[in-house]
Amino acid sequence: MSTHKVRAALVAASCACLWPSMLAAQAAKWPSSSPPRPLAARDVRFPPYEFRTLPNGLQVVVVVHNEQPAVSLRLLVRAGGAQDPPGRLGTASMAATLVDQGTTTRNAQQVADAIDSVGGELGTGAGRDLSVVHAVVMKDSLSLAMELLSDVVRNPAFAPQELERQRQQTASALQVRYQDPEYVANAVFDRLVFGFHPYGFPGSGTPESLARITRDDLIAFHHRYYAPNNCILAVVGDLTVDEGMAAVAKAFGDWPRADVPDILPADPPEPTRRVVVIDKPDAVQTEIRMGQIGIPRRTGDYMAVDLALKILGGDGANRLHRVLRTERGLTYGASADAETLKRSGEFMAQTNTRSETTGEVLRLMVDEFSTLRRERVGEQELADAKAYLTGAFPLTIETPDEIATHILNVLFYDLPIEELQTYRQRVNAVSVDDIARATLKYLKPDRLSIVLVGNASVFLDQLRRVGFSKVEVVRLADLDLTTADFKKKDLAPPMTSVSRPK
């Protein structure tokens, strides 16, 4: 045998010895019975920023973010649905919707053409505590976008024809929403939790309140709250701080300061136990909402409470999903979250299930809520919740608009702006003891607000059997979100025990 043939034979023999072990190793690794281990968290730093206040009181933050040749402008007004005038629910939402639908020098089409001509976007919106006008353009269109933003914010026309068009569109949308069990469940839940506090009413208004809103109402709301000393403007993108500040000063520097009234509403009511069923006889499944009054965003226990609700029903693995879907197969999904506002907040768990399993699902949800307060969470499930939050954080600051949103949230809630740099450290600092203390302090399982939207005739007896003997039933056709018993006037009997609807 030649030297070459000897070497080839040895290599072949070596390969023959190695193949079985290699194949065995591959077989052991795939398919795997457990998910792969997560990658180590990479270092993430919030982009540099500078914060200033113009002489007229407009707060401005400029963030340098050179990864995309774009600029985001996001102006926040410290007034939303909570500041709707009495009897005029939906005013803040209507005002925000109409500010970019024509100014004193441009009609709605001209506004749209101006932003379209540079391939940009312009949008508006309103929440419970605030209203927002935002624009996104390429860097070379910054000047136009800033001028356009200033025009729509400062000089809206509130043209009568645009008001009527928007009123009809909103009213039509509400008619559709009132047939959507998810919307109805959420709206009734808010009313249950916040009562007649402004946070309890739908920001888009009701069919009756929309009909009452006049152009003078919109002008008065705009004059009262759209003022530089009541706004924050975030400029984020491919520019320098000096470029951003100069553009802001040019567009907003001569905006006169105004007297803004005290806009903070009173504290919401204490939680009380109440179960409301909205009867929708043609429904084959039930929408379920369960929860209570929560905490304001500035509360020191915010992070511990947020993690506790993530363990109960956050994205990914959570207790509600495990019990209701994995173990019992009662629903396709379940979730829980803590919404925090300027003056308050709410904790809400939600799911839907077949009408025949409504009582069982509600009982399990309440039990899990009680367990979260009664028993300490596990070290591993807390670690998993932390890993999800810290791992997802970089995905929320990828674009200039997302960065602007983060900054405005911090400034709006009067939080230290340094929090943006320390988010991961603050999440990872929460301990099991912190969770136990926070849940004991804030969760009130004996005073839960519960809403069920579905075919009441199928599940009312189930509710009684699982311990809910005091239930209010409202027909969907009679629903009125502005009355104490959720019923249109002259239809409302007092609270009753469980009974089948007629």
Side-chain angles (χ1 to χ4, degrees), residues 75-137:
L75 186 136
L76 183 153
V77 183
R78 291 186 173 92
Q83 283 72 46
D84 282 341
R88 298 291 193 274
L89 296 177
T91 299
S93 177
M94 186 70 77
T97 301
L98 289 177
V99 293
D100 68 344
Q101 298 301 304
T103 70
T104 53
T105 57
R106 296 179 172 98
N107 61 34
Q109 188 60 52
Q110 289 170 327
V111 171
D113 288 344
I115 194 68
D116 288 347
S117 68
V118 296
E121 294 180 1
L122 179 67
T124 65
R128 286 166 165 159
D129 286 319
L130 54 85
S131 302
V132 175
V133 183
H134 63 93
V136 180
V137 294

Side-chain angles (χ1 to χ4, degrees), residues 319 332 373 405 407 417:
R319 293 183 177 184
Y332 287 110
R373 183 182 190 273
T405 300
I407 289 177
I417 199 166

Side-chain angles (χ1 to χ4, degrees), residues 298-336:
R298 286 198 64 189
T299 305
D301 292 319
Y302 166 75
M303 195 62 76
V305 171
D306 190 43
L307 280 165
L309 270 293
K310 291 290 186 297
I311 290 170
L312 178 65
D315 291 323
N318 64 66
R319 293 183 177 184
L320 289 176
H321 188 88
R322 172 176 53 79
V323 171
L324 298 178
R325 176 174 169 78
T326 307
E327 296 179 0
R328 308 292 182 99
L330 297 171
T331 180
Y332 287 110
S335 63

Side-chain angles (χ1 to χ4, degrees), residues 138-211:
M138 301 302 285
K139 178 184 177 181
D140 57 5
S141 300
L142 171 62
S143 217
L144 170 68
M146 193 71 78
E147 192 273 328
L148 197 57
L149 186 75
S150 174
D151 192 25
V152 301
V153 169
R154 298 170 58 179
N155 311 307
F158 296 126
Q161 66 273 20
E162 295 297 337
L163 170 58
E164 290 309 315
R165 180 180 61 81
Q166 191 58 46
R167 192 200 310 275
Q168 292 178 13
Q169 287 184 358
T170 306
S172 297
L174 280 180
Q175 285 184 338
V176 175
R177 290 177 183 173
Y178 272 57
Q179 297 304 312
D180 178 4
E182 290 188 44
Y183 173 82
V184 171
N186 291 334
V188 175
F189 180 78
D190 288 342
R191 256 299 319 281
L192 267 188
V193 169
F194 293 114
F196 285 100
H197 186 278
Y199 287 161
F201 294 105
S204 55
T206 65
E208 295 77 16
S209 70
L210 284 175

